[in-house]
Amino acid sequence: MDWFLAPPTAQAASALRAELAALFRRHAREADELADAELVVSELLSNAVEHAGGPVWVSLDWSAPQPLLVVHDLGPTFELGTLSLPDVAGPRGRGLWLVSRLAGDLRVAAKRGTGKRVETTLPLTRRVERSLDPPRRRVNPLPAVDEAGPTGFGREAFLRALVVELARTADAGHGPHVTEQLVAQVGATVGGQMEDEYRRARAVVGRLTPEQVTECYLRLKSAIDGDFYVISVDADRIVLGNRRCPFGETVRHAPALCRMTSSVFGGIAARNHGDAVVLLDERIAVGDPECRVTVLLGSAARDNPGGHHYRAPAG
């Protein structure tokens, strides 16, 4: 899940803290874990708002038992060094030390452009819940294969499918992670149809090789006005960069749309290699200059605890 704070005011941070606290209360396994997690969130949001230098993006990935909180901003980076107990009489300096004590794995990294990424694993554990790896719908798939042009599906067909499938999924059910659930369903269905179009265009039968999976990704993203390019491909992973988001600059206001890329890429990879994990390493949607996406295949996916996990449908 992703949030966008612009301008990054104390009021906006307070509202987000309240939203995250409510999320934690709904899904945490133990009530006595909540206070420490909420304090970590409060300190990191306050630090980002004070030093942001522009918008702030906040991401929470709770696909593992413990949630990963990531805060992106465009302000100056800093070195953690060796954090020590600050002067208790001083008015400042306790926030990061508290985070390091409560969470224990505080990490800071400069972005390739301007700004930094601060992340930590929050000290609470999620109750077991169902996955967000929905099956591809086979009834009236959108868009139709015959709508594809010489280079694949065009933007109009893709966006129409996006809206229709989002509305269809909204009618089918609701949940605590509505936005990501909707976008994941769209990616699963539309991505499957895009794979079918690629197979027909290339006359491919059987399992797609990693190189063919990569070509399929590039074809479909180019058709909807993305600018993806290959960084590396081998037997167990595909790494792609992207210079332009198909959703344009508005994606910075709705970073949850990145789940579309994850679901499309993960579904295609899993159907052809059994298991897949998609890692959204860098994202234009959270202030990075480009996107960087890693797709792990087969055993490499099964051995990786992070990211978004996908499996081939049974049967």
Side-chain angles (χ1 to χ4, degrees), residues 212-285:
Q212 289 171 324
V213 169
T214 303
E215 184 186 19
C216 181
Y217 291 164
L218 296 179
R219 178 181 175 85
L220 68 88
K221 284 295 188 179
S222 175
I224 60 172
D225 203 30
D227 189 17
F228 277 73
Y229 60 92
V230 178
I231 295 175
S232 65
V233 180
D234 56 41
D236 61 3
R237 75 180 57 215
I238 299 166
V239 184
L240 300 177
N242 177 42
R243 304 179 188 90
R244 181 176 63 249
C245 179
F247 295 104
E249 287 299 307
T250 57
V251 76
R252 294 173 181 258
H253 297 266
L257 288 171
C258 294
R259 192 67 187 242
M260 170 67 70
T261 294
S262 175
S263 188
V264 170
F265 283 13
I268 293 172
R271 282 190 292 274
N272 290 278
H273 293 270
D275 290 89
V277 166
V278 178
L279 304 169
L280 303 177
D281 302 314
E282 296 182 8
R283 297 189 287 160
I284 293 171

Side-chain angles (χ1 to χ4, degrees), residues 132-154:
L132 282 182
D133 182 10
R136 173 189 173 189
R137 288 195 176 106
R138 291 285 180 177
V139 178
N140 187 27
L142 297 172
V145 171
D146 290 338
E147 293 182 72
T151 60
F153 291 106

Side-chain angles (χ1 to χ4, degrees), residues 40 44 67-71 99-100 103-107 118-122:
V40 171
L44 290 184
L68 177 68
L69 180 73
V70 184
V71 181
V99 170
S100 70
D105 63 345
L106 182 64
R107 298 175 294 278
V118 181
E119 65 178 53
T120 191
T121 302
L122 297 177

